[in-house]
Amino acid sequence: MASFPNPRLSPPEASSSSHSPTRRNNHHNPVDDEDDVLAPFWPPDVPSNRDANISASAAAGILAEDPIPDDLTEPVSFKRKQKRSAVLSQPARLLSALTGNRVRFGSSVTSPERPRSTAGHTLLQGIDSPRRHNGSGGGNGNEAGNGGGYKDVMPLDWYVEGPGRRVGYEDLTAIDWIFEYTKERQRLRVLESSARGLLGYVTQLIDASQVWFILILTGVAVGTIAAAIDVASDFLGDSKTGYCSSGADGGAFYLNKIFCCYGYDEWSKCVGWKSWGAALGVTSKGGVWFIEYFFFLLFSVTFAVFAAVLVKEYAVYARHSGIPEIKTVLGGFIIRRFLGAWTLITKSLGLCFAVASGMWLGKEGPLVHVACCCANLFIKPFSNINTNEARKREVLSAAAASGISVAFGSPIGGVLFSLEQLSYYFPDKTMWQSFVCAMTAAVVLQAFDPFRSGKLVLYQVKYSTGWHAFELVPFIILGIVGGLYGGLFIKANMNVAQWRKTTTWLPGPVSQVLVVSFLTALVNYPNLYMRAQSSELVSSLFAECSSDFDDQFGLCKTGAATAGTIVLLLFAACVGFFLAAITFGLQIPAGIILPSMAIGALTGRAVGIIMEIWQHNHPTFFPFSTCEPDLACVTPGTYAIIGAAATLAGVTRMTVSIVVIMFELTGALTHVLPIMVAVMISKWVGDAFSRRGIYESWIHFNEYPFLDNSEEQTIIPDVAAGSVMTRIEDLVVLTATGHTIDSLGSILEQHPYRGFPVVSDPRDAILLGYISRAELAYNLNAAIEAPRSLPPETEVFFSHQTLADPRTTLDLRPWMDQTPLTLPARVNLHLAVQYFQKLGVRYVLFCDRGVLQGLLTKKDVWYVLNGAEAAMKGSGIGTSISVGVVSTTAAAAGVSLAGSAGRRPAEDGEGSDLLPDESPSAHVESIL
């Protein structure tokens, strides 16, 4: 083992241990790409390292000289170019556009192509592009072009400076946004420089149109799937109460109740629909009630269990709504198989059965997950987007808008939902792309018309009257109730989830779904409002009482009968609150948007009926003086929709998108102001409980390393970054020289960190760069395999070695990030956090005058921010400052992180210990 005078550095082990190549290859696990969501980027000239063994032909691609685009072979010069004559340049441009050749003037002979040097290197080759280099990375420094006409001497090592080459991202790690966008800019420069003539412009047009092609296909697929889910869930849900019998009316067993009774003004007059009591020939009223109750329980439990079995057996990521995971993915996190083909199929089928079970859940949130799955599948054939994680997330942000578009029939609301709730990075071009995708999905859904009513969603309504000034008071009350509901619901749901996670005697996930579905069906059937499907209930609650309205729930009763209606509505809202709290979080596809709207609509309708009775009995009361005598003064349906908007705002903490969605549902511009008032009040009241909405709460509960880029939700301790970073004494640091393949392999086996800083030598510790675990392991594996077949004692270095033989040494400079983001150690933590939130970096190194002082990773920042927020709320977690340590406390979490002080399971560790079925449960000490 080499000795290092400076005790701050962990020495690289240079012992010639007999570790086999197979053991060093263990971290490259084969991954099935068929349902891989965010397939990692592999450079075009680098073979994939997903298999443990690297073929000879694959390894040869690293050493072979790759072709360089014609326009990039000349050295870069910063000399000012002479302007061409305008008279001569215009004909030349026209001729160039038609022929594709560049005509140059100023010489005795005009040739279409200028002789190019084949030995030049350019700056554009520095970022994950094909390189021409020898093993040592050396060069003569004199790059001649056009017969030696250029006298500019380029620096010796320019061709390897930069962020370095990359292999694929590992599962449950963060992406490097800066690297991905730099790679895309380089690709566009190469594409533009090689575009000549009409063919070049066509190539650029095809490249630019790929995104639009993906989004249009996504919109068509999402609209089709949403229509199929609507029809299938309605058929299965109606089958709990009866079936469509064949007869003179032309019915068929595969028709749901709406289609079977299509053309009837009232459900009671429909002779084609048979209840289970009538089908079995039961005549007594008690017997009919018992038989229908039994079938309701049987089908409800069966559908729920079937959905849970689908999730457990085929795609565990199809559970829940998927929006917390989508927010995390769009924030730059890799979760494999979350957007794969099996997840899409399981989620779509599971939604049909879960919604039909009658449990208090919705399909609106999961449709966003379905939309992102569709977009991910259509991205795969287009390598330019599929190999760039940043561009892929832009497409996914645009596709997410189509899910809300078909869920609410609200294309504009879908765009704003993606902007306000989901997207981490949302440029102007993504907004336009989101609008096109959402519009396409809505058009396709309208073409299918699944309800045969011309409505995109079942609860789309129109109001014939406006609102009055005195109604602002009950609207404000509904806003307060909605905020209270949201805050209490989030606390109740999180407590249930925590209890479910920590209780050991609970049965498995399928058994839990069975128990909850049985309890839900047992409670739902006796109450008329809870027996119906959520979409049908919300549709009736939103509707306006009129002569053509089929009042199957008795909402338009008058006189003394309204008292019972009010009691049932409020009772259903209270029981629905409890059932939704224990349902959201089960291992089935389930959203929370529609249940929240249903609970708010129940409360709002009850308040509306109370106001209607009050105005009817006391028309001379001075607030009612503005009412016209011949028209209805109070419309209870408007109270229902405002109550739904308020509760939805209280749960999700969204504002603008909810207002637009509700406006598009009602089509009444006059109701925008009361909806805005109720949403505003609801958010204020909800924020008094916690600034986190339901989705952010689940992200925090699952401990996903998601850093919200909105400053209002971030509590940042006012300390120096040096008190939070992992100091150099606790880091495993690599030196520029003194390593062998075997010693580096031993370091990888002994330390699970995701990356290692590289310094000049142990004494000075001048920072040279940073190399991640994936790139280091890949190159070591490639070097020991054919065609190089280097021995384990081969020298490895990270700096230029003049006398090194490229055939017998391994130069890792091209794979090292030689320009990492650095900050002084004394800088305020707020600035360091801004680097992670705004730039999306994975790590930041701290240096003083070039000397490495410490490291801060994205997971470290997540620990610090969540620990600080917990301390601000008096959670009881310790508040001591440890020197450079961000660790867990066994008393608070019961889990300690591996390694010594300051060492996480991975130095670049964005959730490396996450599993598909569980999340890390560690909580951080707060730093104040």
Side-chain angles (χ1 to χ4, degrees):
M1 179 179 298
S3 60
F4 290 82
N6 193 341
R8 297 184 305 169
L9 301 182
S10 301
E13 300 191 14
S15 60
S16 57
S17 58
S18 59
H19 294 289
S20 64
T22 304
R23 293 185 62 186
R24 282 195 297 267
N25 241 354
N26 284 342
H27 94 285
H28 296 291
N29 297 324
V31 178
D32 186 8
D33 269 338
E34 180 179 356
D35 57 348
D36 186 359
V37 148
L38 302 170
F41 167 74
W42 301 95
D45 61 333
V46 178
S48 169
N49 69 333
R50 299 188 177 188
D51 295 329
N53 298 324
I54 303 176
S55 63
S57 59
I62 305 175
L63 306 177
E65 292 214 340
D66 298 322
I68 299 178
D70 293 338
D71 288 345
L72 304 182
T73 53
E74 296 179 0
V76 173
S77 175
F78 296 95
K79 294 181 179 180
R80 185 182 298 274
K81 296 182 180 180
Q82 295 182 356
K83 295 183 178 180
R84 297 178 181 177
S85 172
V87 178
L88 297 177
S89 63
Q90 296 298 332
R93 293 176 182 175
L94 178 60
L95 181 60
S96 174
L98 295 177
T99 62
N101 298 327
R102 296 186 176 182
V103 182
R104 295 176 174 84
F105 296 91
S107 59
S108 58
V109 179
T110 301
S111 61
E113 293 289 342
R114 176 192 243 176
R116 295 182 175 86
S117 169
T118 59
H121 299 289
T122 69
L123 291 175
L124 297 182
Q125 294 173 255
I127 305 166
D128 201 70
S129 63
R131 287 175 175 76
R132 301 175 57 193
H133 60 86
N134 52 27
S136 64
N140 54 15
N142 299 322
E143 306 294 344
N146 195 18
Y150 291 94
K151 296 182 180 180
D152 297 332
V153 179
M154 298 185 64
L156 186 66
D157 295 331
W158 272 24
Y159 78 100
V160 292
E161 291 183 1
R165 304 174 76 177
R166 302 289 175 89
V167 296
Y169 297 105
E170 296 180 355
D171 191 16
L172 302 171
T173 57
I175 70 170
D176 190 339
W177 288 87
I178 297 178
F179 172 80
E180 297 297 331
Y181 277 116
T182 304
K183 180 175 64 177
E184 175 63 14
R185 286 194 298 270
Q186 179 205 359
R187 188 189 70 84
L188 293 177
R189 286 197 300 267
V190 173
L191 180 64
E192 183 179 358
S193 63
S194 61
R196 299 170 185 163
L198 295 178
L199 183 60
Y201 291 121
V202 170
T203 303
Q204 288 182 300
L205 179 62
I206 294 175
D207 180 78
S209 63
Q210 290 180 0
V211 173
W212 302 104
F213 186 70
I214 293 172
L215 294 176
I216 291 176
L217 286 179
T218 300
V220 173
V222 172
T224 304
I225 294 175
I229 291 176
D230 287 337
V231 174
S233 60
D234 286 345
F235 168 75
L236 294 175
D238 291 339
S239 65
K240 295 185 300 182
T241 60
Y243 69 98
C244 186
S245 61
S246 302
D249 295 337
F253 73 93
Y254 54 82
L255 297 178
N256 60 26
K257 192 173 183 179
I258 295 178
F259 290 163
C260 185
C261 301
Y262 189 75
Y264 288 91
D265 296 333
E266 298 180 8
W267 296 111
S268 58
K269 297 180 181 179
C270 179
V271 297
W273 185 259
K274 299 292 185 182
S275 65
W276 292 114
L280 296 178
V282 180
T283 57
S284 64
K285 184 176 295 186
V288 169
W289 190 87
F290 177 79
I291 291 296
E292 292 182 354
Y293 200 172
F294 171 78
F295 276 96
F296 188 88
L297 289 172
L298 177 64
F299 281 101
S300 297
V301 174
T302 302
F303 293 154
V305 170
F306 194 78
V309 171
L310 281 176
V311 170
K312 181 182 178 181
E313 297 296 331
Y314 294 98
V316 68
Y317 283 129
R319 61 186 179 181
H320 303 174
S321 69
I323 289 183
E325 289 77 12
I326 289 176
K327 285 175 65 72
T328 307
V329 168
L330 295 182
F333 200 59
I334 300 289
I335 305 179
R336 300 193 192 279
R337 297 177 298 276
F338 176 69
L339 299 177
W342 277 110
T343 303
L344 172 62
I345 296 172
T346 305
K347 191 91 172 189
S348 301
L349 292 177
L351 268 182
C352 298
F353 290 100
V355 172
S357 68
M359 300 176 70
W360 281 77
L361 50 83
K363 62 178 181 295
E364 285 70 22
L367 282 176
V368 177
H369 188 187
V370 169
C372 291
C373 289
C374 293
N376 181 70
L377 294 179
F378 290 126
I379 285 173
K380 290 185 179 298
F382 301 95
S383 60
N384 292 335
I385 302 176
N386 190 43
T387 56
N388 191 294
E389 297 295 339
R391 290 194 68 196
K392 183 184 295 184
R393 276 153 181 77
E394 290 182 3
V395 176
L396 293 177
S397 296
S402 63
I404 294 297
S405 174
V406 297
F408 293 102
S410 174
I412 301 176
V415 176
L416 294 177
F417 183 89
S418 178
L419 170 62
E420 184 178 4
Q421 181 66 42
L422 296 177
S423 299
Y424 183 83
Y425 177 65
F426 201 87
D428 293 339
K429 63 177 181 180
T430 304
M431 178 173 290
W432 172 232
Q433 293 168 357
S434 302
F435 178 78
V436 171
C437 187
M439 179 196 65
T440 304
V443 169
V444 172
L445 183 61
Q446 181 72 58
F448 280 105
D449 193 12
F451 305 109
R452 293 296 184 268
S453 60
K455 300 178 181 180
L456 291 176
V457 290
L458 190 60
Y459 40 86
Q460 188 173 352
V461 294
K462 298 288 183 182
Y463 295 125
S464 59
T465 59
W467 59 282
H468 300 82
F470 71 88
E471 293 181 295
L472 277 178
V473 175
F475 293 160
I476 292 174
I477 294 175
L478 286 176
I480 296 174
V481 172
L484 291 173
Y485 161 79
L488 294 175
F489 176 83
I490 293 174
K491 286 186 175 294
N493 184 244
M494 290 296 100
N495 289 334
V496 170
Q498 185 65 36
W499 175 78
R500 188 183 291 131
K501 181 178 181 180
T502 56
T503 304
T504 57
W505 54 266
L506 286 177
V510 177
S511 300
Q512 294 180 25
V513 172
L514 187 150
V515 172
V516 174
S517 62
F518 179 80
L519 176 64
T520 302
L522 199 66
V523 175
N524 281 352
Y525 189 81
N527 192 317
L528 182 63
Y529 301 111
M530 302 176 66
R531 186 187 310 174
Q533 295 291 106
S534 297
S535 56
E536 296 179 4
L537 174 63
V538 172
S539 177
S540 298
L541 293 172
F542 285 178
E544 184 179 18
C545 290
S546 59
S547 58
D548 58 346
F549 174 63
D550 184 13
D551 187 18
Q552 56 178 330
F553 295 103
L555 296 172
C556 298
K557 294 179 181 179
T558 59
T562 56
T565 301
I566 295 172
V567 172
L568 287 177
L569 288 172
L570 294 178
F571 176 78
C574 295
V575 176
F577 173 89
F578 170 75
L579 293 177
I582 64 175
T583 300
F584 189 67
L586 294 175
Q587 305 299 312
I588 54 174
I592 195 58
I593 294 179
L594 190 58
S596 299
M597 291 177 60
I599 294 171
L602 287 167
T603 307
R605 188 79 185 202
V607 173
I609 294 175
I610 293 174
M611 291 298 298
E612 185 182 30
I613 295 174
W614 188 11
Q615 189 274 334
H616 184 268
N617 294 334
H618 302 85
T620 58
F621 189 49
F622 73 94
F624 306 142
S625 60
T626 57
C627 298
E628 299 180 9
D630 298 332
L631 297 176
C633 184
V634 176
T635 304
T638 61
Y639 289 77
I641 201 166
I642 290 172
T647 53
L648 187 56
V651 172
T652 62
R653 307 297 161 79
M654 296 186 300
T655 54
V656 179
S657 56
I658 292 179
V659 174
V660 174
I661 288 172
M662 293 302 171
F663 163 66
E664 292 186 270
L665 279 177
T666 60
L669 184 61
T670 56
H671 291 85
V672 171
L673 181 58
I675 293 174
M676 291 177 64
V677 171
V679 168
M680 177 186 67
I681 298 297
S682 176
K683 180 173 173 55
W684 285 346
V685 175
D687 287 343
F689 289 87
S690 172
R691 288 188 174 273
R692 290 196 187 103
I694 185 65
Y695 301 128
E696 291 78 16
S697 298
W698 272 94
I699 289 175
H700 180 73
F701 177 78
N702 291 327
E703 297 193 358
Y704 295 137
F706 175 76
L707 298 180
D708 197 340
N709 54 5
S710 61
E711 296 182 0
E712 63 174 0
Q713 297 183 359
T714 304
I715 301 175
I716 303 176
D718 188 15
V719 296
S723 63
V724 177
M725 69 181 182
T726 302
R727 296 182 179 272
I728 190 173
E729 296 90 342
D730 301 313
L731 291 175
V732 176
V733 180
L734 303 179
T735 55
T737 58
H739 298 284
T740 63
I741 293 179
D742 191 72
S743 66
L744 290 177
S746 300
I747 292 176
L748 290 178
E749 290 183 350
Q750 295 174 10
H751 304 288
Y753 308 136
R754 292 288 174 88
F756 306 92
V758 180
V759 297
S760 57
D761 57 73
R763 293 184 180 275
D764 298 332
I766 302 298
L767 179 65
L768 300 181
Y770 182 94
I771 186 167
S772 71
R773 182 184 189 90
E775 281 75 43
L776 181 59
Y778 171 75
N779 282 275
L780 296 181
N781 294 332
I784 62 178
E785 298 291 339
R788 299 203 70 182
S789 301
L790 296 176
E793 61 273 10
T794 300
E795 181 183 1
V796 182
F797 48 83
F798 298 90
S799 63
H800 176 65
Q801 303 297 313
T802 306
L803 303 179
D805 187 356
R807 295 170 297 179
T808 59
T809 59
L810 182 59
D811 183 6
L812 293 182
R813 284 179 299 159
W815 297 87
M816 180 179 66
D817 183 1
Q818 300 189 48
T819 57
L821 289 177
T822 59
L823 284 173
R826 61 183 179 276
V827 74
N828 191 278
L829 179 62
H830 185 275
L831 179 59
V833 172
Q834 292 295 308
Y835 270 51
F836 289 95
Q837 289 181 329
K838 305 300 182 183
L839 300 179
V841 296
R842 307 171 73 185
Y843 53 86
V844 172
L845 298 169
F846 295 90
C847 299
D848 287 339
R849 297 183 180 181
V851 179
L852 178 65
Q853 301 296 322
L855 169 71
L856 194 62
T857 69
K858 186 176 182 180
K859 196 66 175 287
D860 296 338
V861 174
W862 184 88
Y863 279 139
V864 171
L865 297 185
N866 285 274
E869 183 173 354
M872 290 294 183
K873 295 180 180 180
S875 62
I877 300 178
T879 58
S880 61
I881 300 179
S882 56
V883 181
V885 177
V886 183
S887 62
T888 60
T889 57
V895 177
S896 61
L897 294 177
S900 61
R903 297 185 182 181
R904 264 76 59 205
E907 280 302 332
D908 197 16
E910 294 81 19
S912 60
D913 50 345
L914 288 172
L915 296 176
D917 296 322
E918 59 182 347
S919 307
S921 59
H923 297 276
V924 70
E925 288 182 336
S926 61
I927 298 182
L928 301 177

